[in-house]
């Protein structure tokens, strides 16, 4: 009997997930990670574009594109910007 209850709960959860994916119902909760602006992060770190790009291992042109909204950081760069926005000193301590 306990197995039927577990199966019914699991089945209902799966159906709910399918409906959310299809847009038939809203998700009950969402976790959104705010993406900080590269320029805001660079300013918090008090670095020039040249020094900032060298610090995180990308070209100055890439940082310029991020700051102008032409491109968006992804992957590790995005994660590093999120960390730097929350704790700029930790990034400086780790990378300098």
């Amino acid at each position: 009997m306990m197995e039927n209850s577990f199966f019914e709960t699991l089945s209902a959860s799966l159906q709910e997930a399918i409906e959310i994916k299809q847009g038939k119902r809203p998700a009950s909760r969402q976790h959104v990670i705010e993406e900080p602006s590269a320029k805001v992060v660079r300013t918090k770190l008090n670095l020039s574009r040249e020094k900032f790009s060298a610090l995180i291992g990308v070209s100055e042109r890439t940082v310029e594109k991020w700051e102008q909204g032409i491109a968006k950081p992804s992957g590790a760069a995005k994660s590093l910007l999120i960390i730097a926005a929350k704790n700029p000193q930790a990034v400086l301590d780790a990378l300098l």
Side-chain angles (χ1 to χ4, degrees):
M1 191 150 203
M2 191 175 208
E3 288 181 23
N4 283 342
S5 175
F6 175 74
F7 178 77
E8 289 170 3
T9 301
L10 187 59
S11 180
S13 293
L14 181 57
Q15 184 59 42
E16 181 179 351
I18 291 168
E19 290 173 6
I20 291 169
K21 179 73 175 167
Q22 293 173 340
K24 293 180 181 177
R25 71 185 305 177
S28 58
R29 57 191 122 138
Q30 293 180 342
H31 184 74
V32 177
I33 297 175
E34 216 174 289
E35 294 182 32
S37 154
K39 188 168 186 174
V40 168
V41 171
R42 184 172 63 80
T43 302
K44 278 186 178 183
L45 295 172
N46 196 29
L47 295 172
S48 67
R49 193 178 283 158
E50 177 185 12
K51 289 181 180 180
F52 180 68
S53 63
L55 180 75
I56 64 171
V58 299
S59 72
E60 282 184 66
R61 182 72 179 130
T62 296
V63 173
E64 183 180 357
K65 287 179 181 180
W66 292 346
E67 291 182 357
Q68 293 176 350
I70 296 168
K72 288 188 172 199
S74 62
K78 181 178 174 181
S79 296
L80 181 59
L81 289 175
I82 291 168
I83 293 165
K86 292 186 179 198
N87 194 340
Q89 192 59 50
V91 171
L92 290 173
D93 291 345
L95 299 177
L96 289 180

